[in-house]
């Protein structure tokens, strides 16, 4: 039976503390993972993020099947915290007028539509920059906005496959394996956030905004890391090594008599401590087959077999006590359930619950970033589809009820009932 961790209500941030990005207006046209991950970070640290969705279903992640609470998916809730949500039909002329009015007031625009979509509606950087020269306009795509592949659709696993990144994951005798979580999407979102923040710093010095671009394929290539660099130097195509980089016998998963552990003794100093203080085998230091890292790599199968036999002779907890005492990098090999209930996670106070308009409360995984002077804002759950449309038009654009009613009558909001959704106030 699954055991979910207790989720306390989040402790509010101290009153009066400043935010890192307070006063910044971000218009968010993104959906799925990379773009929403980027804009959620901006929102967490005080930016006002207005998420614009298609009234007909909204962000694709609203329909993802991992789990659901209060009619909202786990995926959408995990990527759209602290945003105000509005619904606009881009095929409607009246709706486009609203979009342009928001962009004219924005500090940042973030979009990850397929190539040509923003230009089709006259919302590309070249079209909107003349009326807002200080605008930072971030485009996120699979293959960039130029070149033969610019119009190709692409998603995280496709770029994992095409970049060579996927070929590095898995075991030598098996197929390449994509990562479980969409790691290229998440890293691209982080990169987009970095690009936006650098562009904002540049704006302070140069007095003008700029367009920035981030592509999944570029991120995936960069994430091959030193394996990619080694290939460029040697010309040797790297392979898959399972849980042990380069097949290292002192890095990877080992089985104690009652469970697995993962250790990482990647240098001579750690190796000596492992075999003398933990495994009680000083001969594994003096034996020339294992005395140095290159020798251990050359004789990795022999050494791995010896180490595996020793670990299998005793219980997991006994090994963990010995290894921690010797300051060996080691960890339990946990499931998500075990990880979320573990003291290393719980002691970080990153799991909580926050109010939600239809579910009452929803789980919340805090931002991993800690800023002591400008901590993240108190989290607000991801918006219902079109939840803040009326509020944004009224407070951000200054539209009165009559003008908003006219827009609704013109079909700018699709079938979303603005007056049934309410606001976050």
């Amino acid at each position: 039976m699954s055991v979910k961790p207790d989720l306390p209500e989040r402790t509010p941030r101290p009153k009066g503390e400043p935010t890192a990005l307070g006063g910044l207006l971000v218009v968010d046209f993104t959906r799925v993972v990379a773009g929403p991950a980027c804009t959620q970070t901006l929102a967490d640290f005080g930016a006002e993020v207005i998420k614009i969705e298609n009234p007909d279903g909204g962000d694709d992640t609203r329909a993802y099947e991992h789990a659901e609470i209060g009619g909202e998916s786990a995926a959408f809730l995990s990527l759209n915290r602290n945003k105000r949500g509005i619904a606009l039909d881009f095929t409607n002329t009246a709706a486009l007028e609203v979009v342009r009015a928001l962009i004219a007031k924005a500090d940042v625009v973030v979009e990850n539509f397929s190539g040509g979509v923003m230009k089709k509606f006259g919302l590309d950087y070249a079209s909107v920059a003349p009326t807002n020269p200080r605008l930072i306009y971030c485009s996120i795509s699979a293959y960039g906005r130029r070149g033969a592949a610019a119009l190709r659709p692409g998603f995280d696993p496709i770029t994992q496959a095409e970049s060579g990144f996927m070929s590095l994951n898995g075991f030598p005798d098996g197929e390449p394996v994509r990562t479980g979580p969409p790691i290229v999407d998440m890293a691209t979102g982080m990169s987009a956030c970095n690009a936006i923040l650098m562009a904002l710093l540049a704006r302070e010095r140069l007095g003008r905004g700029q367009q920035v671009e981030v592509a999944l394929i570029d991120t995936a290539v960069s994430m091959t890391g030193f394996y990619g660099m080694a290939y460029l130097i040697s010309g040797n195509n790297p392979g898959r090594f399972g849980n042990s980089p380069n097949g290292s016998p002192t890095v990877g998963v080992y089985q104690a008599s009652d469970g697995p552990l993962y250790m990482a003794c990647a240098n001579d100093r750690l190796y000596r401590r492992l075999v003398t203080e933990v495994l009680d085998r000083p001969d594994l230091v003096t034996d020339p087959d294992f005395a140095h890292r290159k020798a251990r790599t050359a004789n990795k199968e022999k050494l791995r077999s010896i180490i595996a036999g020793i670990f299998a002779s005793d219980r997991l907890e006994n090994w963990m006590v010995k290894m921690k005492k010797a300051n060996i990098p080691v960890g339990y090999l946990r499931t998500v359930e075990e990880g979320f209930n573990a003291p290393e996670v719980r002691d970080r106070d990153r799991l909580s619950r926050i109010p939600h308009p239809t579910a009452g409360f929803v789980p919340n995984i805090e931002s991993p970033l800690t800023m002591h002077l400008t901590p993240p804002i108190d989290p607000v759950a991801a918006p219902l589809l079109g939840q803040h449309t009326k509020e944004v038009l009224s407070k951000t654009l200054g539209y009165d009820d009559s003008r908003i009613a006219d827009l609704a009558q013109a079909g700018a909001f699709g079938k979303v009932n603005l007056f049934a959704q309410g606001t976050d106030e």
Side-chain angles (χ1 to χ4, degrees):
M1 176 124 182
S2 179
V3 179
K4 292 194 294 185
D6 292 330
L7 297 175
E9 290 189 41
R10 188 181 184 277
T11 302
R13 76 199 304 266
K15 289 185 177 180
E17 284 189 321
T19 61
L21 301 176
L24 201 70
L25 178 61
V26 179
V27 179
D28 178 8
F29 294 95
T30 69
R31 70 259 189 250
V32 193
V33 179
C38 164
T39 54
Q40 179 167 268
T41 299
L42 300 175
D44 283 344
F45 288 89
E48 179 186 353
V49 176
I50 298 173
K51 182 180 178 74
I52 300 178
E53 296 181 79
N54 183 340
D56 185 16
D59 191 321
D60 293 347
T61 58
R62 288 186 180 274
Y64 279 17
E65 68 280 357
H66 304 92
E68 181 181 297
I69 184 171
E72 299 293 314
S73 77
F76 185 80
L77 291 170
S78 72
L79 291 162
N80 293 283
R81 175 181 58 232
N82 292 327
K83 303 176 187 179
R84 292 197 291 167
I86 72 174
L88 293 170
D89 180 359
F90 277 23
T91 65
N92 183 281
T93 302
L96 284 179
E97 292 176 4
V98 174
V99 171
R100 292 190 183 99
L102 287 170
I103 292 175
K105 294 176 69 72
D107 294 285
V108 178
V109 163
V110 191
E111 61 90 13
N112 65 347
F113 283 113
S114 298
V117 171
M118 292 298 271
K119 186 174 182 178
K120 172 184 174 183
F121 292 109
L123 303 175
D124 58 309
Y125 180 69
S127 298
V128 300
T131 58
N132 187 354
R134 289 177 57 81
L135 179 68
I136 309 301
Y137 190 108
C138 179
S139 293
I140 302 171
S141 62
Y143 301 100
R145 293 303 191 207
R146 296 182 303 278
L151 298 181
R152 278 188 63 192
F155 296 93
D156 174 291
I158 306 301
T159 55
Q160 284 195 37
E162 292 194 331
S163 64
F165 177 84
M166 193 182 295
S167 76
L168 301 172
N169 302 315
F171 289 87
D173 57 352
E175 293 182 342
V177 177
R178 63 166 286 180
T179 61
I183 192 168
V184 173
D185 270 338
M186 300 301 291
T188 300
M190 295 177 192
S191 297
C193 187
N194 287 341
I196 289 167
L197 295 176
M198 285 189 287
L200 287 167
L201 285 172
R203 187 176 74 173
E204 293 304 303
R205 291 187 295 108
L206 304 176
R208 57 171 297 176
Q210 61 180 295
Q211 185 174 19
V212 299
E213 294 186 42
V214 185
L216 271 65
I217 191 71
D218 298 341
T219 302
V221 167
S222 72
M223 288 176 65
T224 64
F226 44 76
Y227 291 103
M229 183 61 74
Y231 160 70
L232 293 175
I233 293 171
S234 70
N236 296 325
N237 198 26
R240 293 181 291 285
F241 305 101
N243 291 311
S244 302
N246 297 318
S248 170
T250 53
V251 177
V253 176
Y254 281 93
Q255 296 288 336
S257 62
D258 58 345
L261 59 85
Y262 191 99
M263 72 169 180
C265 294
N267 59 44
D268 289 342
R269 175 176 48 83
L270 289 172
Y271 173 74
R272 286 193 294 270
R273 288 215 305 264
L274 171 70
V275 298
T276 58
E277 299 179 34
V278 177
L279 304 183
D280 196 23
R281 287 290 302 272
D283 60 297
L284 296 178
V285 175
T286 57
D287 189 325
D289 282 351
F290 312 127
H292 303 287
R293 178 169 176 161
K294 287 185 177 180
R296 293 193 294 274
T297 299
N299 298 283
K300 58 190 176 187
E301 297 305 328
K302 180 180 177 182
L303 181 56
R304 180 173 289 278
S305 178
I306 293 171
I307 294 174
I310 298 172
F311 274 128
S313 69
D314 202 352
R315 296 178 60 247
L316 176 62
E317 284 304 321
N318 291 337
W319 289 122
M320 295 298 284
V321 169
K322 291 179 181 179
M323 295 179 83
K324 289 179 179 179
K325 183 178 179 181
N327 204 24
I328 298 295
V330 66
Y332 297 95
L333 188 61
R334 292 171 172 147
T335 64
V336 171
E337 178 180 317
E338 291 167 341
F340 275 40
N341 283 284
E344 293 90 344
V345 173
R346 298 314 307 264
D347 289 350
R348 298 296 298 159
D349 296 322
R350 287 306 204 254
L351 304 178
S352 63
R353 62 187 183 119
I354 56 178
H356 186 269
T358 57
F361 285 90
V362 295
N364 180 53
I365 302 174
E366 294 280 327
S367 167
L369 306 179
T370 298
M371 298 182 69
H372 293 282
L373 179 62
T374 56
I377 66 172
D378 291 331
V380 176
L384 304 178
L385 181 57
Q387 179 178 346
H388 306 105
T389 305
K390 183 180 179 182
E391 176 189 333
V392 167
L393 297 184
S394 174
K395 293 185 177 180
T396 304
L397 295 181
Y399 292 1
D400 60 22
D401 288 346
S402 176
R403 187 169 183 183
I404 295 172
D406 288 344
L407 288 167
Q409 182 66 32
F413 315 127
K415 298 178 181 178
V416 174
N417 186 339
L418 305 181
F419 303 96
Q421 299 281 22
T423 74
D424 62 355
E425 294 183 310

